[in-house]
Amino acid sequence: MILGVKSLVLPIEPYLVTDRQMSAVLRAREELVAPCMRRFGFAWPDPGPGTGDSGGMPSGMKNAANMDRRYGITDPALAARHGYHFAPDAGQRTTKEPPATRPDADALAVLTGRTGDGTPAPSRYHGLAVPEGGCQGQATARLTGGRPLGNDPLAGEINIVSYQKSRADPRVKAVFRAWSACMRKRGYSYAAPTDAPGKDPRFTGPAPTRQEIALAEADVACKRQTNVIGVWFTVDTAYQRRMMATKGPELAHAKDAVRIQTANAARVLNGDR
């Protein structure tokens, strides 16, 4: 019986870029992009302290495998306080930043090496050679050594496919049915934890309602009672190990790519431009 996810680590996680690592890499890229863009005459601001995003990761995600929400909500204390909403990040800014201004056509061409419709931009701008891939492409190549930014495709695929396969596995479906029966006894009709809370407006507002918190508490209680987390994590892990078993050299390459990106980002953020 596994009641929570805090101590759980999936086999693929060491080969994935974490949220914090990705944020540092993207901030380092902006540190490199800014002087490049200014060299071409664009008024391009330096990124402020702590800026940078998480590369498209959902708000509240703490690692690339999204263990906090991979199997739905699992923490009874958080469910009782926030329902299905994410708890505010302690490091999150409390003031809203103005929306970013979209670069004009010339700036976009120098930034990305592409025009607005995706075709290659001219290789020179006001007599200066534009780097391959624009200032952003040049910065990315410096950070990654020419490899993909973020997760290695194989590691990312294993992370996603194992979740999809485990969710459809008969062992997981069986524990979903047990969870559903538990929920019915509490007055809720959901076939699987992945269905809750759905798009009911009572559960999708800006703040959790009493109804949402009651549903979330029942959800977590039934997960714990029926061992949803234990079964799902075990099956998820088994699929990952099976997919990883014959991919040793490729995964070593993926882990090296994470090391290269994070090390290069650290050097840039420490002043090595």
Side-chain angles (χ1 to χ4, degrees):
M1 182 78 71
I2 297 177
L3 300 181
V5 297
K6 288 184 179 179
S7 63
L8 302 183
V9 179
L10 287 165
I12 198 62
E13 287 192 60
Y15 304 91
L16 298 172
V17 181
T18 68
D19 186 11
R20 179 171 293 183
Q21 288 170 333
M22 194 70 227
S23 183
V25 169
L26 292 174
R27 182 166 183 268
R29 185 171 69 173
E30 287 305 306
E31 293 276 3
L32 296 172
V33 163
C36 176
M37 292 296 290
R38 287 198 292 265
R39 185 165 61 86
F40 286 91
F42 297 101
W44 207 261
D46 281 315
T51 59
D53 58 45
S54 57
M57 293 183 181
S59 172
M61 182 182 285
K62 302 303 182 185
N63 70 351
N66 192 22
M67 289 304 295
D68 281 359
R69 291 292 180 105
R70 191 175 181 96
Y71 310 124
I73 57 170
T74 56
D75 187 313
L78 292 178
R81 187 170 181 181
H82 302 288
Y84 290 90
H85 286 65
F86 285 107
D89 190 336
Q92 196 172 29
R93 295 183 178 195
T94 55
T95 57
K96 290 186 178 180
E97 296 182 5
T101 303
R102 181 174 175 80
D104 63 24
D106 287 345
L108 182 66
V110 174
L111 176 67
T112 66
R114 296 273 171 179
T115 63
D117 62 8
T119 58
S123 60
R124 303 187 73 83
Y125 180 78
H126 289 184
L128 294 176
V130 177
E132 184 177 355
C135 289
Q136 193 171 79
Q138 176 180 255
T140 298
R142 175 172 169 184
L143 292 168
T144 66
R147 301 180 186 188
L149 183 73
N151 288 327
D152 176 88
L154 173 63
E157 180 184 5
I158 290 171
N159 181 46
I160 293 169
V161 171
S162 74
Y163 174 83
Q164 294 170 336
K165 287 187 173 182
S166 65
R167 178 174 165 175
D169 187 277
R171 294 163 290 182
V172 174
K173 284 189 171 182
V175 83
F176 282 0
R177 288 193 293 271
W179 174 90
S180 181
C182 175
M183 291 291 283
R184 279 197 301 273
K185 292 178 181 178
R186 295 168 180 262
Y188 300 104
S189 179
Y190 293 99
T194 50
D195 296 337
K199 296 182 179 180
D200 189 319
R202 293 177 299 169
F203 311 135
T204 56
T209 60
R210 290 182 179 178
Q211 296 100 318
E212 178 184 337
I213 286 174
L215 172 61
E217 288 181 312
D219 183 349
V220 173
C222 285
K223 281 192 178 92
R224 292 162 72 93
Q225 181 177 318
T226 58
N227 197 27
V228 166
I229 302 166
V231 173
W232 199 349
F233 173 75
T234 300
V235 175
D236 200 0
T237 296
Y239 277 113
Q240 288 194 0
R241 286 179 175 158
R242 191 178 306 168
M243 287 186 282
M244 295 168 69
T246 60
K247 301 293 184 181
E250 296 91 338
L251 289 170
H253 181 85
K255 185 178 283 189
D256 192 47
V258 174
R259 180 191 61 78
I260 289 170
Q261 290 181 66
T262 54
N264 286 339
R267 279 193 284 270
V268 170
L269 295 176
N270 284 328
D272 181 3
R273 303 291 188 275

